[in-house]
Amino acid sequence: MDSRSAEGSSSGGQALSDGQARAEVETALAREYRFQHQLSEALVADVPEQGIAEVLQEHLGLGVAVEDPFGHVLARGRADGQAPCSRLTRAQRDRLVDAARRMTGPVRVRDQLASLAVSRGTVLGVVVVLDPQGTLEPPDKTPELDARPGSPRAGALHAIGLATGALTLHLLHRRHLARTELRLRHDLVETVLLECDQDGLEAEVDRRVGQASALGHDLTGPHRVLAVRPRHGHWPDGQAVGDLVEQAARSLDMPYLGTLRGQTAILVCGTPGAWLGDGSPTAPWSGRPATGSGVGATGSHEPRSGSAWQAVHDAFTHVLQDAPAVGVGSYVDRPEHLPRSYREAMQALTVRTRQADPRGLLTFEDLGLYRLLATPEGRREAGAFVEDWIGSLLAYDAERQADLVHTLGVYLDHGGNYDATAAALHIHRSTLRYRLQRIRELSGHDLTHTDTRLNLHVAVRAAVVADPAVLPGSE
């Protein structure tokens, strides 16, 4: 073969090699464009997280999961025959987040590659790719392969980066919308709890109903206001109050608007699904059931509708992992009456939280005598009344660490029955007789006189809500 033949052969080989490279690049670009187009479509789908997971899974041929910052799976794209991604422990996840913040690109943890969706140092979510065979690891002997146009590994890492960027944009947008809606809901609740000016009442009600409708809530139907305060006044650390309330409301199928005042969640609630009969609210939501015992001067602190309302209390107990205090305002069927239901919910919450055991739910209908005492004015008047009737007993109890006021209350609750009172207090009749004698001596009151017993009974009840507080632990 002469030199010209050799040159021709060499040129042909070079041309073929260039043609192959060009074809590889064009194929890679077409695949890249297709992936980006599918990713764009995923962002406008009903569930973008699921779309992102499926598009990336199809592109890589590997299992993919999209998780929230706490490791809960939001979406999954599973490759054929591949097991789901194993859950990281909290310690592993903390190490992953720390490592990812110090470097760019995905971080390998065992058989997974994890890429963080981060904005201003805040982790919004994680894209997890299951790669047990290490196909996305750098080649040991031929690192120059990564430099070739259309390198499968480089393209895969680039695709993971694009998917993570798309997830970041989506989660940022969702967070912005959630914050905006939360602020709008907060502002609306603060508005509907204000008394309507009677001048222009209809227009104001229409405005409030329209604002609620824009947030997906029908304010025209029957409502009650709930006031929820967690035990010890502290909501669980690391969890948004709105998310906890949302979980409880969803389990009850109960539409609501909510806000937070101090440590008390105020919820303007529509009828729970379980109490909707033929489209109309049923008991106990619609009013007090006909049977049971109420709260009042007779003594019982269990609401007459306690068993029915227990479902509501249980829902909040479940999400808070502890039993809260819940006050429930009365049933209203007009938006302009919601301020009244709110005041009543706060009255019920005040009584509930000032009991020896504040855990539980109390409705306004079941307040009995406390309806008069639990208003701000009533609490102030109660303080003077309590001091007049049992002030000496309270002072004696505080000085001697005695229990005369409680003994008096139980005695009056049981209608003056010695045996029932002694049994309830777990003391002997002689001990009860001694305590009652001390009560007579200190107070100067005759316990056999009907009007005196009534006033003493009211005073014991009023001591629970008196302002300023007169019982230890009543604040």
Side-chain angles (χ1 to χ4, degrees):
M1 178 182 296
D2 58 22
S3 60
R4 281 186 295 178
S5 298
E7 285 179 17
S9 174
S10 175
S11 298
Q14 183 64 38
L16 182 62
S17 177
D18 290 344
Q20 288 176 333
R22 188 179 302 110
E24 289 179 2
V25 170
E26 289 175 350
T27 300
L29 286 174
R31 189 165 180 265
E32 174 76 9
Y33 292 149
R34 185 170 61 254
F35 172 71
Q36 293 187 22
H37 176 69
Q38 292 173 332
L39 205 55
S40 298
E41 290 184 330
L43 280 175
V44 297
D46 291 339
V47 186
E49 297 94 332
Q50 185 63 41
I52 291 171
E54 291 177 352
V55 168
L56 187 58
Q57 180 273 317
E58 181 182 349
H59 186 75
L60 300 179
L62 298 171
V64 175
V66 174
E67 300 178 355
D68 70 8
F70 310 104
H72 305 122
V73 176
L74 302 176
R76 198 189 303 277
R78 189 177 300 174
D80 293 339
Q82 206 170 34
C85 303
S86 57
R87 185 103 179 250
L88 300 180
T89 65
R90 182 169 183 175
Q92 290 171 330
R93 194 168 193 82
D94 290 343
R95 289 196 295 270
L96 162 66
V97 171
D98 183 60
R101 281 175 169 159
R102 289 184 282 104
M103 59 188 296
T104 59
V107 177
R108 177 167 287 276
V109 182
R110 300 201 308 255
D111 59 351
Q112 303 173 13
L113 281 176
S115 179
L116 298 189
V118 181
S119 174
R120 297 182 180 182
T122 300
V123 178
L124 305 174
V126 186
V127 174
V128 180
V129 178
L130 187 61
D131 182 30
Q133 304 302 321
T135 56
L136 299 183
E137 288 294 282
D140 295 330
K141 298 181 180 179
T142 55
E144 67 278 1
L145 290 178
D146 268 355
R148 285 181 53 190
S151 161
R153 176 179 175 275
L157 296 179
H158 179 61
I160 294 173
L162 288 176
T164 304
L167 179 65
T168 303
L169 289 175
H170 164 64
L171 294 179
L172 271 176
H173 178 63
R174 190 175 70 179
R175 176 171 288 200
H176 174 72
L177 289 179
R179 286 178 174 173
T180 300
E181 182 172 342
L182 184 63
R183 185 172 62 254
L184 290 173
R185 285 175 175 267
H186 166 81
D187 292 345
L188 177 58
V189 173
E190 294 295 335
T191 298
V192 301
L193 296 182
L194 295 174
E195 293 287 354
C196 290
D197 191 337
Q198 293 305 304
D199 294 333
L201 174 62
E202 187 174 344
E204 175 61 20
V205 169
D206 288 344
R207 187 176 69 84
R208 295 180 182 187
V209 169
Q211 289 178 334
S213 180
L215 293 173
H217 185 87
D218 182 9
L219 202 61
T220 62
H223 281 72
R224 284 179 183 259
V225 176
L226 272 61
V228 182
R229 186 176 299 164
R231 193 178 183 191
H232 308 306
H234 300 294
W235 296 86
D237 293 334
Q239 298 188 65
V241 175
D243 292 342
L244 295 171
V245 171
E246 173 69 25
Q247 292 177 42
R250 190 185 305 117
S251 70
L252 294 165
D253 189 20
M254 181 177 70
Y256 79 99
L257 295 168
T259 190
L260 193 64
R261 289 186 169 181
Q263 292 300 314
T264 302
I266 307 300
L267 312 178
V268 177
C269 303
T271 310
W275 296 333
L276 270 177
D278 298 325
S280 299
T282 60
W285 191 263
S286 60
R288 180 191 301 175
T291 60
S293 60
V295 176
T298 55
S300 173
H301 293 286
E302 291 304 317
R304 66 185 68 216
S305 50
S307 59
W309 281 106
Q310 190 62 39
V312 175
H313 190 257
D314 287 347
F316 287 100
T317 299
H318 176 72
V319 298
L320 295 176
Q321 299 181 350
D322 202 349
V326 182
V328 183
S330 64
Y331 170 91
V332 300
D333 56 7
R334 294 280 302 169
E336 62 266 35
H337 297 153
L338 285 169
R340 170 170 57 81
S341 186
Y342 164 67
R343 292 193 300 272
E344 294 165 350
M346 293 305 296
Q347 287 178 242
L349 181 67
T350 297
V351 175
R352 184 70 265 177
T353 56
R354 292 192 175 190
Q355 303 297 328
D357 182 1
R359 296 172 297 179
L361 180 147
L362 186 59
T363 67
F364 179 75
E365 291 93 333
D366 290 316
L367 282 180
L369 177 66
Y370 287 129
R371 288 200 197 187
L372 303 176
L373 298 176
T375 64
E377 298 79 7
R379 290 199 297 272
R380 288 192 292 270
E381 291 295 329
F385 184 82
V386 169
E387 181 61 32
D388 287 344
W389 281 91
I390 59 172
S392 57
L393 302 181
L394 288 166
Y396 183 88
D397 282 352
E399 181 182 348
R400 305 290 183 89
Q401 299 297 306
D403 208 17
L404 295 186
V405 173
H406 178 60
T407 299
L408 176 61
V410 175
Y411 173 72
L412 295 172
D413 286 347
H414 288 84
N417 184 298
Y418 269 64
D419 290 335
T421 303
L425 292 171
H426 305 291
I427 59 177
H428 195 272
R429 277 177 58 97
S430 61
T431 304
L432 174 62
R433 188 175 294 107
Y434 168 76
R435 289 186 186 180
L436 292 176
Q437 182 58 37
R438 291 295 292 145
I439 289 171
R440 293 186 186 96
E441 293 171 355
L442 290 168
S443 68
H445 295 307
D446 180 2
L447 301 187
T448 64
H449 192 275
T450 303
D451 287 344
T452 297
R453 284 164 64 139
L454 174 60
N455 284 315
L456 287 172
H457 208 171
V458 172
V460 172
R461 294 281 173 238
V464 173
V465 297
D467 218 358
V470 297
L471 285 181
S474 63
E475 284 292 350

